Structures are given as structure tokens and as C-alpha cells.
Amino acid sequence: MLIIASHNGASGIADAMRALKNDGSAMDAVEIGIRVVEADPSDHTVGYNGYPNILGELELDASIMDGRTLNSGAVALMRGFPYAISVARQVMERKLPHVLLAGAGAERFAREINAEAWEDMLTDEIRAVWRGRLAASTATGEFPSLSDDSPLLEWVKLATDPERVAGTVNFIAIDGQGDIAAGVSTSGWAWKYPGRIGDSPIIGAGNYADNRYGACACTGMGEMAIRAGTARSLVLYLQMGMPLREAARQAMIDLRDLGGDYIGGMNLIALDRDGAHIGLSADAGRTYIYQQADMAEHVEVEREVVEISARWAGLPRE
Ligand code: ASP
């Protein structure tokens, strides 16, 4: 039994491991671990009290994948329901003929299954950060009032900043049966354009699990993982026979081929079916955590760095 997670999964990993030890499935462990992070108001990149979009609204993305069957469920742009991972899992469990529900449809489904709803998903502290960020982007330093028909195109460019790539939570578990599951949950980029969907709810981009080979989950610039199919690539490289480290490095190296304006940070965690695990990042100093059943608590370890921007650096862009 093994759980690996992005570093901000530290608050949830003990509960997730307890679930595994009590005969819970890998799917249970992933959901339980992520729920703890989603409810934590101090994590501003996941669930309740995450950084909102440019209009100050919190839109959540999440997905979960069962490596036994390759079944998956996902939600995107969901408002008003803190436990996006649980709603994502229900998209799968309730046997909808769908994998991903977004926006009003995801909220409707969440209501229909009586998912826990919270009236206010943001604290005043985070609203103040959002207002401050917008105000700092105007010539006058005044908070701009953005209405339904305000042009937002320039606003999202002005308001992007390092926070936009700051986080998301990943959990991958192997249970006592040897089954693998992977889950991802996020509030996405801070100050994103309303309706922007990242890699986290897209199976194959930010999340992939297959019992026969292994699993991968991503954080970082979701647009890149979508374009490169990063999580699926890594698992496919395992399927092709590469050892875990090589497969993971290749999935990162593939990102070098992406031209255009969205080159930025990318991080992944991955494991193979034998329980070897790895964390990679484009940036130095990033960590991930893991815990095996025989460990009293989790351990935090450095991610290996893979430079991803080399190929396009200095080249003219269209
Ligand atoms: N991958 C997430 C997204 O693009 C954000 C992040 O991990 O920072 O929505």
C-alpha cells in the first residue's frame, strides 16, 4: 500500500492511509485525502477559499480515475460545492454515460445527488487579495468594477502572476489489492478567464491511472499538459516498456516541443505498478510526499528537475 501526493496533500495523507489500512480502496483513499485539502481554507489553490477567477468567482475542477477499469469521472467550472473530487467520483459511480460535466450541468448534478453545498466559498481575506490584485493592475490603483459585458481579455493578461501556477492537489494510491487510483483537484489559475478549464479535470492531460502500468498526476501550467497529453503520455511510455524515471522524464521533455505563449512551470508525480515513485518539476526546490503502509508518517522528498523551455527559448514566436 502506497500513497504519493503533491506537497500540499500533507494535510490529507494520514486520513487517506488510514482508509487504505481499513481495507478501503485506492479510490477511497484518493477521495478522502483530497477532501481534506479541499476543505482547508489555508490552501488557496484547491476547493474552498481558492483564488477566484478574474470576476471573483470560484470555479473548481477535479477528476478521479480508477486504474482497475479505466473508469473516470470529472467536473469542471463547478461553483458552490467544495468537494469537487466527490462529485467527480459520483459522475463515475452513478454510471452516467459521461466522464466530464462542466459549469451549470455539474452544479445541477451535484444538487441532484445531494452533494454538500456551501453558500459562501470564499473568505473576506481572499476577496481582499483578489480586489487588491485587480486594483494594482489599474493606472489609478482603484478597484475596477467588471460587469457582465466588460472586456476581460486584457484583464486576464494584466492580472496573471506567479500565483497562476501555484497549485492543485494530486493524490495517487495503490491499495491492498494492488489497484491504483489517481485524483486531482484545483481552483485553477488565480484570476483566470471565466470558463477556463485546466488540465486537472481532463483525463489524459492532468490525470491518468492504469493498474497494468502505473499512474501520473500533474500540477502547473495546465494548458501545457492539455496540449501534450502529459499524464497519458507518461503511462503510455510505461506501457511501451520504459522504466518509470525514463517515462516520467520523457513526458516532461515532450513539453519542450510546445511553442507559443504558455510555456511555464510543470510538475508531475507518478508511480508504476510495482510501487516505484517519482516527482519531477521544471523548477528547482519543489517537493512531493509519500507514505507506505509500514511508515508512521509521510516523508517529503525533492522532485527531480527537468528543464522544459529549452527548445523555444530565444526563438521568434508567431
Ligand atoms: N494545473 C492547474 C491548472 O492549470 C493549476 C496548477 O496546478 O497550478 O488549472
Side-chain angles (χ1 to χ4, degrees), residues 61 164-168 186 188-189 196 198-200 218-223:
D61 295 347
R164 71 183 180 176
V165 291
T168 287
T186 190
W189 284 16
R196 177 266 183 186
D199 58 325
S200 309
C218 303
T219 62
M221 194 74 80
E223 280 69 7

Side-chain angles (χ1 to χ4, degrees), residues 157-269:
K157 290 183 197 159
L158 286 174
T160 52
D161 58 42
E163 283 155 358
R164 71 183 180 176
V165 291
T168 287
V169 68
N170 299 155
F171 264 78
I172 305 178
I174 306 183
D175 63 26
Q177 315 301 314
D179 290 326
I180 302 175
V184 181
S185 182
T186 190
S187 48
W189 284 16
W191 338 130
K192 61 193 174 184
Y193 199 103
R196 177 266 183 186
I197 297 174
D199 58 325
S200 309
I202 301 196
I203 295 300
N207 186 5
Y208 204 80
D210 185 328
N211 269 10
R212 295 168 298 175
Y213 313 111
C216 173
C218 303
T219 62
M221 194 74 80
E223 280 69 7
M224 294 174 64
I226 291 172
R227 291 165 64 202
T230 300
R232 171 68 178 137
S233 295
L234 187 150
V235 176
L236 187 60
Y237 289 136
L238 291 174
Q239 180 175 352
M240 289 165 64
M242 287 186 190
L244 177 67
R245 178 162 180 263
E246 200 184 323
R249 289 185 62 87
Q250 188 58 52
M252 290 288 281
I253 287 167
D254 288 349
L255 298 164
R256 292 179 187 163
D257 294 337
L258 303 176
D261 284 337
Y262 285 112
I263 297 296
M266 178 56 62
N267 320 284
L268 58 81
I269 59 170

Side-chain angles (χ1 to χ4, degrees), residues 115-137:
E116 193 169 327
W118 291 1
E119 206 160 299
D120 194 356
M121 291 285 289
L122 293 179
T123 60
D124 289 345
E125 175 211 344
I126 289 301
R127 279 203 184 85
V129 175
W130 164 68
R131 292 176 72 90
R133 176 64 62 190
L134 259 62
S137 302

Side-chain angles (χ1 to χ4, degrees), residues 4-267:
I4 66 172
S6 50
H7 72 97
N8 57 342
S11 55
I13 197 167
D15 285 358
M17 183 49 82
R18 199 166 306 119
L20 283 189
K21 287 185 178 170
N22 289 331
D23 290 334
S25 66
M27 290 287 286
D28 296 336
V30 163
E31 180 183 0
I32 287 167
I34 289 179
R35 281 175 65 97
V36 176
V37 186
E38 288 176 331
D40 180 355
S42 69
D43 190 318
H44 301 314
T45 66
V46 180
Y48 172 66
N49 212 29
Y51 288 123
N53 67 18
I54 193 80
L55 296 177
E57 296 162 342
L58 185 69
E59 295 177 318
L60 301 181
D61 295 347
S63 69
I64 190 162
M65 185 160 186
D66 184 346
R68 241 178 345 160
T69 55
L70 309 189
N71 272 332
S72 359
V75 291
L77 305 174
M78 192 175 64
R79 296 184 292 185
F81 297 88
Y83 298 115
I85 195 68
S86 296
V87 182
R89 183 173 181 184
Q90 288 305 311
V91 170
M92 178 190 135
E93 302 281 357
R94 305 277 176 134
K95 302 210 183 308
L96 293 184
H98 308 306
V99 167
L100 169 61
L101 296 178
E107 292 155 17
R108 181 187 181 117
F109 172 74
R111 270 193 304 279
E112 192 172 335
I113 62 166
N114 291 320
E116 193 169 327
W118 291 1
E119 206 160 299
D120 194 356
M121 291 285 289
L122 293 179
T123 60
D124 289 345
E125 175 211 344
I126 289 301
R127 279 203 184 85
V129 175
W130 164 68
R131 292 176 72 90
R133 176 64 62 190
L134 259 62
S137 302
T138 63
T140 58
E142 303 265 310
F143 175 71
S145 72
L146 297 175
S147 63
D148 275 355
D149 44 13
S150 299
L152 295 177
L153 216 99
E154 291 308 315
W155 271 108
V156 274
K157 290 183 197 159
L158 286 174
T160 52
D161 58 42
E163 283 155 358
R164 71 183 180 176
V165 291
T168 287
V169 68
N170 299 155
F171 264 78
I172 305 178
I174 306 183
D175 63 26
Q177 315 301 314
D179 290 326
I180 302 175
V184 181
S185 182
T186 190
S187 48
W189 284 16
W191 338 130
K192 61 193 174 184
Y193 199 103
R196 177 266 183 186
I197 297 174
D199 58 325
S200 309
I202 301 196
I203 295 300
N207 186 5
Y208 204 80
D210 185 328
N211 269 10
R212 295 168 298 175
Y213 313 111
C216 173
C218 303
T219 62
M221 194 74 80
E223 280 69 7
M224 294 174 64
I226 291 172
R227 291 165 64 202
T230 300
R232 171 68 178 137
S233 295
L234 187 150
V235 176
L236 187 60
Y237 289 136
L238 291 174
Q239 180 175 352
M240 289 165 64
M242 287 186 190
L244 177 67
R245 178 162 180 263
E246 200 184 323
R249 289 185 62 87
Q250 188 58 52
M252 290 288 281
I253 287 167
D254 288 349
L255 298 164
R256 292 179 187 163
D257 294 337
L258 303 176
D261 284 337
Y262 285 112
I263 297 296
M266 178 56 62
N267 320 284

